[in-house]
Amino acid sequence: MQENERLARTFEEKRPRLHAVAHRMLGSADEAEDAVQEAWIRLHRSDTDTVENLDGWLTTVVGRVCLDILRARNRREEFFEEHADPSAGPRPQEGADPEQAAMLADSVGLALMVVLDTLDPDERLAFVLHDTFAVPFADIASIIGRSPAATRQLASRARRRVHGASPLPDLRRQHKIVDAFLTAARNGEFERLLTLLAPDAAMRADDTAVRIGAAPLTRGARDVASVFSGGAEAARIALVDGSVGAVWQSKVRPIVVFRFTLEDERITAIDLVAEPERLRELDVVVLDG
């Protein structure tokens, strides 16, 4: 009993770092917690007397669990792309609650999250473990089943893609402005909406959005603010093709996507996209559940 209690205390001391490792690799607080819990289960079932470096052992276990999750995620996405109903529109990713969205913005960074999602599981794990948590390549190699030299190449390739990616927009700034706009809309803060809109701001709606009830074109900050003031209850912040926007969705698919154009800390244009064919072309990741 005393040994179990000692092991539990030791694990709790290491839990924050393990969660940080899993969170950075998975981009999901819930999945990170699942990975850490699985590490505890495996530790509890193992003969710890043979473990010389508990930190390394736990990091290896969490890494392997995360790798399994990332590979399963890729298989699900490939299956969905192959079998999806083309009339259903894009599938929103199972997303984050507000706490998770905040954690992503703070500890992962929205821009980095966008780039990491372009890496394959092995590249992502090699890059995150080595560049962020200083795990030796030899240890990473044992997780992904490759040689240390091949693992080093994976991390190098991922690093070039991360640092050499086309200039990413300032997603933190976008997130702050769009979040402030939606909050002001829900609270009916008309004057606050005006401060967030450029004087000549315009809102355009495609034909499907018009049939739902939007005006084809709304010009001027006051008229656009009037449309949103007291509304937007169902709109949720999302990444839309790598930029911060919003989405109104059913349980299974987006109904309307809001694309924002920003200049000089103000919103200059809002485009409402609701046509199924256009929605299918958009990559939508809900950040605020």
Side-chain angles (χ1 to χ4, degrees), residues 162-243:
V162 169
H163 296 298
S166 58
L168 290 169
D170 183 353
L171 296 178
R172 288 183 184 275
R173 179 181 64 89
Q174 293 180 14
H175 189 282
K176 180 179 179 180
I177 296 172
V178 172
D179 181 58
F181 182 83
L182 294 179
T183 299
R186 292 166 187 150
N187 294 337
E189 299 172 352
F190 184 80
E191 295 301 324
R192 174 60 172 153
L193 289 172
L194 290 181
T195 67
L196 295 167
L197 290 163
D200 59 349
M203 183 174 71
R204 306 175 186 86
D206 64 21
D207 292 342
T208 303
V210 170
R211 286 196 293 271
I212 293 173
L217 177 62
T218 304
R219 288 189 180 277
R222 298 193 71 85
D223 286 345
V224 173
S226 295
V227 172
F228 280 92
S229 184
E233 287 292 335
R236 295 293 175 258
I237 291 181
L239 284 177
V240 181
D241 284 348
S243 295

Side-chain angles (χ1 to χ4, degrees), residues 89-90 253-257 273-282:
R253 64 183 180 88
I255 298 172
V256 179
V257 166
V273 180
E275 293 178 1
E277 183 175 349
R278 294 183 65 194
L279 287 176
R280 283 196 297 272
E281 297 173 352
L282 299 179

Side-chain angles (χ1 to χ4, degrees), residues 23 35 80 83 88 92 132 146 164 177 245:
H23 192 194
F80 179 82
H83 298 281
T132 305
R146 305 200 187 197
I177 296 172

Side-chain angles (χ1 to χ4, degrees), residues 63-218:
R64 286 174 176 159
V65 173
C66 289
L67 188 60
D68 288 342
I69 292 172
L70 289 171
R71 287 171 173 170
R73 186 189 295 173
N74 278 10
R75 288 194 294 271
R76 286 197 303 270
E77 291 173 355
E78 289 170 0
F79 178 86
F80 179 82
E81 290 172 0
E82 181 179 351
H83 298 281
D85 178 356
S87 65
R91 177 188 60 167
Q93 289 192 12
E94 292 182 3
D97 56 24
E99 180 182 2
Q100 181 180 342
M103 291 178 70
L104 283 172
D106 291 340
S107 67
V108 177
L110 291 172
L112 179 59
M113 183 181 71
V114 171
V115 180
L116 288 180
D117 281 343
T118 69
L119 305 179
D120 69 35
D122 289 5
E123 288 177 334
R124 183 165 177 164
L125 185 136
F127 171 74
V128 169
L129 285 184
H130 182 267
D131 284 42
T132 305
F133 296 98
V135 177
F137 284 121
D139 294 345
I140 302 171
S142 69
I143 299 174
I144 62 177
R146 305 200 187 197
S147 69
T151 302
R152 183 186 298 273
Q153 290 178 349
L154 280 175
S156 178
R157 185 163 66 235
R159 192 179 305 114
R160 288 195 300 270
R161 292 176 65 181
V162 169
H163 296 298
S166 58
L168 290 169
D170 183 353
L171 296 178
R172 288 183 184 275
R173 179 181 64 89
Q174 293 180 14
H175 189 282
K176 180 179 179 180
I177 296 172
V178 172
D179 181 58
F181 182 83
L182 294 179
T183 299
R186 292 166 187 150
N187 294 337
E189 299 172 352
F190 184 80
E191 295 301 324
R192 174 60 172 153
L193 289 172
L194 290 181
T195 67
L196 295 167
L197 290 163
D200 59 349
M203 183 174 71
R204 306 175 186 86
D206 64 21
D207 292 342
T208 303
V210 170
R211 286 196 293 271
I212 293 173
L217 177 62
T218 304

